[in-house]
Amino acid sequence: MKVELHTQTKEIKDGKLEKKQGTFTADLDMSLASQIRFEAKFPDLAQREDLYNYSKRISEIKEMSAPVLISKMKMLYCWFDTDVSFVDFLKLFDLTDEEYVKRLTNEIKTVFDLVMDGSAEKN
């Protein structure tokens, strides 16, 4: 299933800082391939827990700090079937704009809810 996240980057144009809005579209892949991506991209995390439990634990954290948001992005990245590198994926999201981060956090929650609902249906 295709999902979208709103992206925001900044660039300097004619000496002024401008926000650049966009979207990142990816396939939400809830198959075992997502676990393989998790193990390949984040082996240290994968040694301690699987992607589903990591996602569940990270999503329960209500605090919004840069490390928590990056952890949530790791979770999302593994659920997405994409060829974009993780660093390039992170570069799509402006963490310095508080309003944008709130919007992004809501979008991340929506995707996570899809994953949890999909997993519940499988049981």
Side-chain angles (χ1 to χ4, degrees):
M1 123 184 37
K2 295 271 189 204
V3 294
E4 281 188 357
L5 294 177
H6 287 89
T7 62
Q8 180 174 296
T9 57
K10 291 180 181 170
E11 61 183 41
I12 297 176
K13 210 172 211 178
D14 299 325
K16 296 178 184 175
L17 189 63
E18 292 187 3
K19 293 178 185 178
K20 191 174 178 185
Q21 308 289 327
T23 57
F24 174 79
T25 304
D27 282 323
L28 182 61
D29 177 11
M30 295 182 282
S31 73
L32 287 175
S34 59
Q35 178 63 33
I36 298 299
R37 283 191 293 277
F38 183 60
E39 292 171 5
K41 299 294 182 177
F42 308 107
D44 291 342
L45 293 172
Q47 284 183 341
R48 293 188 297 266
E49 60 192 331
D50 62 30
L51 177 59
Y52 177 83
N53 286 313
Y54 175 76
S55 299
K56 190 173 179 182
R57 181 174 60 82
I58 294 301
S59 292
E60 290 173 353
I61 299 172
K62 301 301 179 208
E63 163 195 352
M64 263 320 355
S65 64
V68 170
L69 191 54
I70 290 169
S71 293
K72 289 183 179 193
M73 298 307 277
K74 286 178 183 177
M75 168 194 75
L76 270 184
Y77 181 76
C78 293
W79 289 112
F80 290 157
D81 186 5
T82 181
D83 292 329
V84 175
S85 75
F86 182 63
V87 171
D88 287 340
F89 177 69
L90 287 179
K91 288 179 181 179
L92 296 172
F93 309 100
D94 175 13
L95 300 182
T96 63
D97 182 332
E98 219 174 292
E99 288 303 312
Y100 169 72
V101 170
K102 287 178 187 175
R103 179 181 185 179
L104 179 61
T105 301
N106 287 333
E107 291 176 351
I108 291 170
K109 183 184 179 321
T110 299
V111 172
F112 178 70
D113 288 346
L114 287 170
V115 169
M116 290 298 107
D117 288 345
S119 295
E121 289 174 11
K122 291 178 187 176
N123 293 331

